[in-house]
Amino acid sequence: MANKVRFGLKNVHYAAVTETVGEDGKITTSYGDVKPWIGAVSLSLSPEGNSDTFYADDYAFYNTDTNSGYSGSIETAGVPDEMLVEIYGMIRDSVTKNIAEFADVTSKYMAIMFEISGDQSARRYCFYRIKMERPEVASETITDTKTVKTQTCNMTATPRPDDMVVKTFADPEATNYATWYETVPTAPEKPAA
């Protein structure tokens, strides 16, 4: 069912990405367990890439398009501690349970899944290779009212190197809709050119 309008954001989940380089130089992507990311407020991803037109014989003779993925941000009630350790590479002390951030640690890629409602059906999305920037840290003193401070993370979704897939989405009639968040969904294979 096609939606005329879209609204809402819920059921945000993530999974850590592992990229393995084979002896042939090809990259194989695998995913860790899918985990919920509670407290989604907003998400915005804008297309990256460009189009170029070559003119000949007084008309648009050839068009090129590049798909470099998406960039944007997610605003949430907060980034889970488990994600800070698993994705951002922060270290949790086994004795004190303190979590420390180190400048020389590189964050991992992750898949992100979520649901956007609509007037006809709720569509579920999966972006397969997201690089998250570190979350901001901000708060303010309590006055007459308590104002909730959210955390925003900028992110970039790039094509998966082994098959160049960027995202997949499903409507309720998809056979894997009910199990969407159990594992990272398999993307359809691209037809041979």
Coordinates of all heavy atoms in Angstrom, one line a residue, residues 29-113:
T29 N 30.6 -8.4 4.3 CA 30.0 -7.7 5.4 C 29.2 -8.7 6.2 O 28.4 -9.4 5.6 CB 29.1 -6.5 4.9 OG1 29.9 -5.6 4.1 CG2 28.5 -5.8 6.1
S30 N 29.3 -8.6 7.5 CA 28.5 -9.4 8.4 C 28.0 -8.5 9.5 O 28.5 -7.4 9.7 CB 29.2 -10.6 9.0 OG 30.3 -10.2 9.7
Y31 N 27.0 -8.9 10.2 CA 26.3 -8.1 11.3 C 26.2 -8.8 12.6 O 26.0 -10.0 12.6 CB 24.9 -7.7 10.8 CG 25.0 -6.8 9.5 CD1 24.8 -7.4 8.3 CD2 25.1 -5.5 9.6 CE1 24.9 -6.7 7.1 CE2 25.2 -4.7 8.4 CZ 25.1 -5.3 7.2 OH 25.2 -4.6 6.1
G32 N 26.3 -8.0 13.7 CA 26.1 -8.5 15.0 C 24.7 -8.6 15.3 O 23.8 -8.4 14.5
D33 N 24.4 -8.9 16.6 CA 23.0 -8.9 17.0 C 22.3 -7.6 16.8 O 22.9 -6.5 17.1 CB 22.9 -9.3 18.5 CG 23.4 -10.7 18.7 OD1 23.4 -11.6 17.8 OD2 23.8 -11.0 19.9
V34 N 21.0 -7.6 16.5 CA 20.2 -6.4 16.4 C 19.7 -6.1 17.8 O 19.2 -6.9 18.5 CB 19.0 -6.7 15.4 CG1 18.1 -5.5 15.4 CG2 19.5 -7.0 14.0
K35 N 19.9 -4.8 18.1 CA 19.6 -4.3 19.4 C 18.7 -3.1 19.3 O 18.9 -2.2 18.5 CB 20.9 -4.0 20.2 CG 21.7 -5.2 20.4 CD 23.0 -4.9 21.0 CE 23.9 -6.2 21.1 NZ 25.2 -6.0 21.5
P36 N 17.7 -2.9 20.3 CA 16.9 -1.7 20.2 C 17.6 -0.5 20.7 O 18.5 -0.5 21.5 CB 15.8 -2.1 21.2 CG 16.4 -3.1 22.1 CD 17.4 -3.8 21.3
W37 N 17.2 0.6 20.0 CA 17.7 2.0 20.4 C 16.5 2.8 20.8 O 15.8 3.4 20.0 CB 18.5 2.6 19.3 CG 19.2 3.9 19.6 CD1 19.1 4.6 20.7 CD2 20.0 4.6 18.7 NE1 19.9 5.8 20.6 CE2 20.4 5.8 19.4 CE3 20.4 4.4 17.4 CZ2 21.3 6.7 18.8 CZ3 21.3 5.4 16.8 CH2 21.7 6.5 17.5
I38 N 16.2 2.8 22.1 CA 14.9 3.4 22.6 C 15.1 4.9 22.7 O 16.1 5.4 23.0 CB 14.6 2.8 24.0 CG1 14.6 1.3 24.1 CG2 13.3 3.4 24.6 CD1 13.6 0.6 23.2
G39 N 14.0 5.6 22.4 CA 13.9 7.0 22.6 C 14.1 7.9 21.4 O 14.6 9.0 21.5
A40 N 13.8 7.3 20.2 CA 13.9 8.1 19.0 C 13.0 9.3 19.0 O 11.8 9.2 19.3 CB 13.6 7.2 17.8
V41 N 13.6 10.5 18.6 CA 12.8 11.7 18.5 C 12.7 12.1 17.0 O 11.5 12.4 16.5 CB 13.5 12.9 19.2 CG1 12.8 14.2 19.0 CG2 13.6 12.5 20.7
S42 N 13.7 12.1 16.2 CA 13.7 12.5 14.8 C 14.9 11.9 14.1 O 15.9 11.6 14.7 CB 13.6 14.0 14.6 OG 14.9 14.6 15.0
L43 N 14.7 11.7 12.8 CA 15.8 11.2 11.9 C 15.6 11.8 10.6 O 14.5 12.0 10.1 CB 15.6 9.6 11.8 CG 16.7 8.9 11.0 CD1 17.1 7.6 11.6 CD2 16.2 8.7 9.5
S44 N 16.7 12.3 10.0 CA 16.7 12.9 8.7 C 17.9 12.5 7.9 O 19.1 12.6 8.4 CB 16.7 14.4 8.9 OG 16.8 15.1 7.6
L45 N 17.7 11.9 6.8 CA 18.8 11.5 5.9 C 18.6 12.1 4.5 O 17.6 11.8 3.9 CB 18.9 10.0 5.8 CG 19.4 9.3 7.1 CD1 19.2 7.8 7.1 CD2 20.9 9.6 7.3
S46 N 19.5 12.9 4.0 CA 19.4 13.5 2.7 C 20.4 12.8 1.7 O 21.5 12.4 2.1 CB 19.9 15.0 2.8 OG 19.0 15.6 3.6
P47 N 19.9 12.6 0.4 CA 20.8 11.9 -0.5 C 22.1 12.6 -0.8 O 22.1 13.9 -0.8 CB 19.9 11.9 -1.8 CG 18.5 12.2 -1.4 CD 18.6 13.0 -0.1
E48 N 23.1 11.8 -1.0 CA 24.5 12.3 -1.3 C 24.8 11.8 -2.7 O 24.5 10.7 -3.1 CB 25.5 11.9 -0.3 CG 25.4 12.5 1.0 CD 25.7 14.0 1.1 OE1 26.6 14.4 0.3 OE2 25.1 14.7 1.9
G49 N 25.5 12.6 -3.5 CA 25.9 12.2 -4.9 C 25.6 13.4 -5.8 O 25.2 14.5 -5.3
N50 N 25.7 13.2 -7.1 CA 25.4 14.3 -8.0 C 24.9 13.8 -9.3 O 25.1 12.6 -9.6 CB 26.5 15.3 -8.1 CG 27.8 14.6 -8.7 OD1 27.7 13.6 -9.4 ND2 28.9 15.1 -8.3
S51 N 24.4 14.6 -10.1 CA 24.0 14.3 -11.5 C 24.8 15.3 -12.4 O 25.0 16.4 -12.1 CB 22.5 14.5 -11.7 OG 21.8 13.7 -10.8
D52 N 25.1 14.8 -13.5 CA 25.8 15.6 -14.5 C 25.2 15.3 -15.9 O 24.9 14.1 -16.2 CB 27.3 15.3 -14.5 CG 28.1 16.4 -15.2 OD1 27.6 17.5 -15.4 OD2 29.3 16.1 -15.5
T53 N 25.1 16.3 -16.7 CA 24.5 16.2 -18.0 C 25.5 16.6 -19.1 O 26.1 17.7 -19.0 CB 23.2 17.0 -18.2 OG1 22.3 16.6 -17.1 CG2 22.6 16.8 -19.5
F54 N 25.7 15.7 -20.1 CA 26.6 16.0 -21.2 C 25.7 16.4 -22.4 O 24.8 15.7 -22.7 CB 27.4 14.8 -21.5 CG 28.2 15.0 -22.8 CD1 29.3 15.8 -22.9 CD2 27.8 14.3 -24.0 CE1 30.0 16.0 -24.1 CE2 28.5 14.4 -25.2 CZ 29.6 15.3 -25.2
Y55 N 26.0 17.6 -22.9 CA 25.2 18.1 -24.0 C 25.9 17.9 -25.4 O 27.1 18.2 -25.5 CB 24.8 19.6 -23.8 CG 23.9 19.8 -22.7 CD1 24.3 20.0 -21.4 CD2 22.5 19.8 -23.0 CE1 23.4 20.2 -20.4 CE2 21.6 20.0 -21.9 CZ 22.1 20.2 -20.6 OH 21.2 20.4 -19.6
A56 N 25.2 17.4 -26.3 CA 25.7 17.3 -27.7 C 24.6 17.4 -28.7 O 23.4 17.0 -28.3 CB 26.5 16.0 -27.9
D57 N 24.8 17.9 -29.8 CA 23.8 18.0 -30.9 C 22.6 18.8 -30.3 O 21.4 18.5 -30.6 CB 23.3 16.7 -31.4 CG 24.4 15.9 -32.1 OD1 25.3 16.6 -32.7 OD2 24.4 14.7 -32.1
D58 N 22.9 19.8 -29.5 CA 21.9 20.7 -28.9 C 20.8 20.0 -28.0 O 19.7 20.5 -27.9 CB 21.2 21.5 -30.0 CG 22.1 22.5 -30.7 OD1 23.1 22.9 -30.0 OD2 21.8 23.0 -31.8
Y59 N 21.2 18.9 -27.4 CA 20.2 18.3 -26.4 C 21.1 17.6 -25.4 O 22.3 17.4 -25.5 CB 19.2 17.4 -27.1 CG 19.7 16.1 -27.6 CD1 19.5 14.9 -26.8 CD2 20.3 16.0 -28.8 CE1 19.9 13.7 -27.3 CE2 20.7 14.7 -29.3 CZ 20.5 13.6 -28.5 OH 21.0 12.4 -28.9
A60 N 20.3 17.1 -24.3 CA 21.0 16.4 -23.3 C 21.3 15.0 -23.8 O 20.5 14.1 -23.8 CB 20.1 16.3 -22.0
F61 N 22.6 14.8 -24.2 CA 23.0 13.6 -24.9 C 23.2 12.4 -24.0 O 22.9 11.3 -24.3 CB 24.3 14.0 -25.6 CG 24.8 12.9 -26.6 CD1 24.2 12.8 -27.9 CD2 25.8 12.1 -26.3 CE1 24.6 11.9 -28.8 CE2 26.3 11.1 -27.2 CZ 25.7 11.0 -28.5
Y62 N 23.7 12.7 -22.7 CA 24.0 11.7 -21.8 C 23.9 12.2 -20.4 O 24.4 13.3 -20.1 CB 25.4 11.1 -22.0 CG 25.8 10.0 -21.1 CD1 25.2 8.7 -21.3 CD2 26.7 10.1 -20.1 CE1 25.5 7.6 -20.5 CE2 27.0 9.1 -19.3 CZ 26.4 7.8 -19.5 OH 26.8 6.8 -18.6
N63 N 23.3 11.5 -19.5 CA 23.2 11.9 -18.1 C 23.9 10.9 -17.2 O 23.8 9.7 -17.4 CB 21.7 12.0 -17.6 CG 20.9 13.1 -18.3 OD1 21.4 14.2 -18.3 ND2 19.8 12.8 -18.8
T64 N 24.6 11.4 -16.2 CA 25.2 10.5 -15.2 C 24.7 10.8 -13.8 O 24.4 12.0 -13.5 CB 26.7 10.6 -15.2 OG1 27.1 12.0 -14.9 CG2 27.4 10.3 -16.5
D65 N 24.5 9.8 -13.0 CA 24.1 10.0 -11.6 C 25.1 9.2 -10.8 O 25.4 8.1 -11.1 CB 22.7 9.4 -11.4 CG 21.6 10.2 -12.1 OD1 21.7 11.4 -12.1 OD2 20.7 9.6 -12.7
T66 N 25.4 9.7 -9.6 CA 26.2 9.0 -8.7 C 25.4 8.9 -7.4 O 24.8 9.9 -6.9 CB 27.6 9.6 -8.4 OG1 27.4 11.0 -7.9 CG2 28.4 9.6 -9.6
N67 N 25.4 7.8 -6.8 CA 24.7 7.5 -5.5 C 25.8 7.3 -4.4 O 26.4 6.2 -4.4 CB 23.8 6.4 -5.6 CG 23.0 6.1 -4.3 OD1 23.4 6.6 -3.2 ND2 21.9 5.4 -4.4
S68 N 26.1 8.3 -3.6 CA 27.1 8.2 -2.6 C 26.4 7.9 -1.2 O 27.1 8.0 -0.2 CB 27.9 9.5 -2.5 OG 28.5 9.7 -3.7
G69 N 25.2 7.5 -1.2 CA 24.5 7.2 0.0 C 23.7 8.4 0.5 O 23.1 9.2 -0.2
Y70 N 23.7 8.6 1.9 CA 22.9 9.7 2.5 C 23.8 10.2 3.7 O 24.7 9.6 4.2 CB 21.7 9.1 3.1 CG 20.7 8.5 2.1 CD1 20.8 7.3 1.5 CD2 19.6 9.3 1.7 CE1 20.0 6.8 0.6 CE2 18.7 8.8 0.8 CZ 18.9 7.6 0.2 OH 18.0 7.1 -0.7
S71 N 23.4 11.4 4.1 CA 24.0 12.0 5.3 C 22.9 12.7 6.0 O 21.9 13.2 5.4 CB 25.1 12.9 5.0 OG 24.7 14.1 4.3
G72 N 23.0 12.8 7.4 CA 22.0 13.4 8.1 C 22.2 13.3 9.6 O 23.4 13.2 10.1
S73 N 21.2 13.1 10.4 CA 21.3 13.0 11.8 C 20.1 12.3 12.4 O 19.1 12.2 11.8 CB 21.4 14.4 12.5 OG 20.2 15.1 12.2
I74 N 20.4 11.8 13.6 CA 19.3 11.2 14.4 C 19.3 11.9 15.8 O 20.4 12.1 16.4 CB 19.5 9.7 14.6 CG1 18.3 9.1 15.3 CG2 20.8 9.3 15.2 CD1 18.2 7.5 15.3
E75 N 18.1 12.2 16.3 CA 18.0 12.8 17.6 C 17.2 11.8 18.5 O 16.2 11.3 18.1 CB 17.2 14.1 17.5 CG 16.9 14.8 18.8 CD 16.0 16.0 18.8 OE1 15.5 16.3 17.7 OE2 15.9 16.7 19.8
T76 N 17.8 11.5 19.6 CA 17.2 10.5 20.5 C 17.3 11.1 22.0 O 17.9 12.0 22.3 CB 18.0 9.2 20.5 OG1 19.3 9.4 21.0 CG2 18.1 8.7 19.1
A77 N 16.5 10.3 22.8 CA 16.6 10.7 24.3 C 18.0 10.5 24.8 O 18.4 11.1 25.7 CB 15.6 9.8 25.0
G78 N 18.8 9.6 24.2 CA 20.2 9.3 24.6 C 20.7 8.1 23.8 O 20.0 7.3 23.3
V79 N 22.0 8.1 23.8 CA 22.7 7.0 23.1 C 23.0 5.9 24.2 O 23.6 6.2 25.3 CB 24.1 7.4 22.5 CG1 24.9 6.3 22.0 CG2 23.8 8.5 21.4
P80 N 22.6 4.7 24.0 CA 22.7 3.7 25.0 C 24.2 3.4 25.3 O 25.1 3.4 24.4 CB 22.1 2.4 24.4 CG 21.3 2.9 23.3 CD 21.9 4.2 22.8
D81 N 24.5 3.1 26.6 CA 25.9 2.8 27.0 C 26.5 1.7 26.2 O 27.6 1.6 25.8 CB 26.0 2.5 28.5 CG 25.8 3.7 29.4 OD1 25.8 4.9 28.8 OD2 25.7 3.6 30.6
E82 N 25.6 0.7 25.9 CA 26.0 -0.5 25.2 C 26.5 -0.1 23.8 O 27.5 -0.6 23.3 CB 24.9 -1.5 25.1 CG 25.3 -2.8 24.5 CD 24.2 -3.9 24.5 OE1 23.0 -3.5 24.8 OE2 24.5 -5.0 24.2
M83 N 25.8 0.9 23.2 CA 26.3 1.4 21.9 C 27.6 2.1 22.0 O 28.4 2.0 21.1 CB 25.2 2.2 21.2 CG 25.5 2.7 19.8 SD 24.4 3.9 19.1 CE 23.0 2.9 18.8
L84 N 27.7 2.9 23.0 CA 29.0 3.6 23.2 C 30.2 2.7 23.2 O 31.2 3.0 22.7 CB 29.0 4.5 24.5 CG 27.9 5.6 24.6 CD1 27.9 6.2 26.0 CD2 28.2 6.6 23.5
V85 N 30.0 1.5 23.8 CA 31.1 0.5 23.9 C 31.2 -0.2 22.6 O 32.3 -0.3 22.0 CB 30.8 -0.4 25.1 CG1 31.8 -1.6 25.1 CG2 30.9 0.3 26.4
E86 N 30.1 -0.8 22.1 CA 30.1 -1.6 20.9 C 30.4 -0.9 19.6 O 31.2 -1.4 18.8 CB 28.8 -2.4 20.8 CG 28.8 -3.4 19.7 CD 27.4 -4.1 19.6 OE1 26.4 -3.7 20.2 OE2 27.4 -5.2 18.9
I87 N 29.9 0.3 19.4 CA 30.0 1.0 18.1 C 31.1 2.0 18.2 O 32.0 2.2 17.3 CB 28.7 1.7 17.7 CG1 27.6 0.6 17.6 CG2 28.9 2.4 16.4 CD1 27.8 -0.5 16.6
Y88 N 31.1 2.8 19.3 CA 32.1 3.9 19.4 C 33.4 3.5 19.9 O 34.4 4.3 20.0 CB 31.5 5.1 20.2 CG 30.4 5.8 19.6 CD1 29.1 5.5 19.8 CD2 30.6 6.8 18.6 CE1 28.0 6.1 19.2 CE2 29.6 7.5 18.0 CZ 28.3 7.1 18.3 OH 27.3 7.8 17.7
G89 N 33.5 2.3 20.4 CA 34.8 1.7 20.9 C 35.2 2.3 22.3 O 36.4 2.2 22.6
M90 N 34.3 2.8 23.0 CA 34.6 3.3 24.4 C 34.8 2.0 25.2 O 34.4 0.9 24.9 CB 33.5 4.2 24.9 CG 33.4 5.5 24.2 SD 32.2 6.6 24.9 CE 32.0 7.8 23.6
I91 N 35.6 2.2 26.3 CA 36.0 1.1 27.2 C 35.3 1.2 28.5 O 35.3 2.2 29.2 CB 37.5 1.1 27.4 CG1 38.3 1.1 26.1 CG2 37.9 -0.1 28.2 CD1 38.0 -0.1 25.2
R92 N 34.6 0.0 28.9 CA 34.0 0.0 30.2 C 34.9 -0.8 31.2 O 35.3 -1.9 30.9 CB 32.7 -0.8 30.1 CG 31.9 -0.8 31.5 CD 30.7 -1.8 31.4 NE 29.8 -1.5 30.3 CZ 28.7 -0.8 30.3 NH1 28.4 -0.1 31.5 NH2 28.0 -0.6 29.3
D93 N 35.3 -0.1 32.3 CA 36.1 -0.7 33.3 C 35.4 -1.9 34.0 O 34.2 -1.7 34.4 CB 36.6 0.3 34.3 CG 37.6 -0.2 35.3 OD1 37.1 -0.8 36.3 OD2 38.8 -0.1 35.1
S94 N 36.0 -3.0 34.0 CA 35.3 -4.2 34.6 C 35.0 -4.1 36.1 O 34.1 -4.7 36.6 CB 36.1 -5.5 34.3 OG 37.4 -5.4 34.9
V95 N 35.8 -3.3 36.8 CA 35.7 -3.1 38.2 C 34.7 -2.0 38.6 O 33.7 -2.1 39.2 CB 37.0 -2.9 38.9 CG1 36.9 -2.7 40.4 CG2 37.9 -4.1 38.7
T96 N 35.1 -0.8 38.1 CA 34.3 0.4 38.5 C 33.0 0.6 37.6 O 32.1 1.3 38.0 CB 35.1 1.7 38.3 OG1 35.4 1.9 36.9 CG2 36.4 1.6 39.2
K97 N 33.0 0.0 36.4 CA 31.9 0.1 35.4 C 31.9 1.5 34.8 O 31.0 1.9 34.0 CB 30.5 -0.2 36.0 CG 30.4 -1.5 36.7 CD 30.8 -2.7 35.8 CE 30.6 -4.0 36.5 NZ 31.3 -5.1 35.9
N98 N 33.0 2.3 35.0 CA 33.1 3.6 34.3 C 33.4 3.3 32.8 O 33.9 2.3 32.5 CB 34.3 4.4 34.9 CG 34.1 4.8 36.3 OD1 33.0 4.9 36.8 ND2 35.2 5.1 37.0
I99 N 32.9 4.3 32.0 CA 33.1 4.2 30.6 C 34.0 5.3 30.1 O 33.8 6.5 30.5 CB 31.8 4.2 29.8 CG1 30.9 3.0 30.2 CG2 32.0 4.2 28.3 CD1 29.5 3.0 29.6
A100 N 35.1 5.0 29.4 CA 36.1 6.0 29.0 C 36.2 6.0 27.5 O 36.1 5.0 26.8 CB 37.5 5.6 29.6
E101 N 36.4 7.2 27.0 CA 36.5 7.5 25.5 C 38.0 7.8 25.3 O 38.6 8.6 26.0 CB 35.7 8.7 25.1 CG 35.9 9.1 23.7 CD 35.0 10.3 23.3 OE1 34.1 10.6 24.0 OE2 35.3 10.9 22.2
F102 N 38.6 7.1 24.2 CA 40.0 7.3 23.9 C 40.1 7.9 22.5 O 39.3 7.5 21.6 CB 40.7 6.0 23.9 CG 40.8 5.4 25.3 CD1 39.8 4.6 25.8 CD2 41.9 5.8 26.1 CE1 39.9 4.1 27.1 CE2 42.0 5.2 27.4 CZ 41.0 4.4 27.9
A103 N 40.9 8.9 22.3 CA 41.0 9.6 21.1 C 41.6 8.8 19.9 O 41.3 9.1 18.8 CB 41.9 10.9 21.2
D104 N 42.3 7.7 20.2 CA 42.9 6.9 19.1 C 42.1 5.7 18.8 O 42.6 4.8 18.1 CB 44.3 6.6 19.5 CG 44.4 5.8 20.8 OD1 43.4 5.7 21.5 OD2 45.5 5.2 21.1
V105 N 40.8 5.6 19.2 CA 40.0 4.5 18.8 C 39.0 4.9 17.8 O 38.4 6.0 17.8 CB 39.2 4.0 20.1 CG1 38.2 2.9 19.7 CG2 40.2 3.5 21.2
T106 N 38.9 4.1 16.7 CA 38.0 4.4 15.6 C 36.7 3.7 15.8 O 36.6 2.5 16.2 CB 38.6 3.9 14.3 OG1 39.9 4.5 14.1 CG2 37.8 4.3 13.1
S107 N 35.6 4.4 15.5 CA 34.3 3.8 15.7 C 34.0 2.8 14.6 O 34.6 2.8 13.5 CB 33.2 4.9 15.7 OG 33.1 5.6 14.5
K108 N 33.0 1.9 14.8 CA 32.6 0.9 13.8 C 31.5 1.4 13.0 O 30.8 2.3 13.4 CB 32.2 -0.4 14.5 CG 33.2 -1.2 15.2 CD 32.6 -2.4 15.8 CE 33.6 -3.3 16.5 NZ 33.0 -4.5 17.1
Y109 N 31.3 0.8 11.8 CA 30.1 1.0 11.1 C 29.0 0.2 11.8 O 29.2 -0.8 12.5 CB 30.2 0.4 9.6 CG 31.1 1.3 8.8 CD1 32.4 1.0 8.5 CD2 30.6 2.5 8.2 CE1 33.3 1.7 7.7 CE2 31.4 3.3 7.4 CZ 32.7 2.9 7.2 OH 33.5 3.7 6.4
M110 N 27.7 0.6 11.5 CA 26.6 -0.1 12.0 C 25.4 -0.1 11.0 O 25.4 0.8 10.1 CB 26.1 0.4 13.3 CG 25.6 1.9 13.3 SD 25.2 2.5 14.9 CE 23.6 3.2 14.7
A111 N 24.5 -1.0 11.1 CA 23.3 -1.0 10.3 C 22.3 -0.3 11.3 O 22.4 -0.4 12.5 CB 22.8 -2.4 10.0
I112 N 21.3 0.4 10.7 CA 20.3 1.0 11.5 C 18.9 0.7 10.8 O 18.8 0.8 9.6 CB 20.5 2.6 11.6 CG1 19.5 3.1 12.7 CG2 20.4 3.3 10.3 CD1 19.8 4.6 13.1
M113 N 18.0 0.3 11.6 CA 16.7 0.0 11.2 C 15.6 0.8 11.9 O 15.9 1.1 13.1 CB 16.4 -1.5 11.4 CG 17.2 -2.4 10.5 SD 17.5 -4.1 11.1 CE 18.7 -3.7 12.3

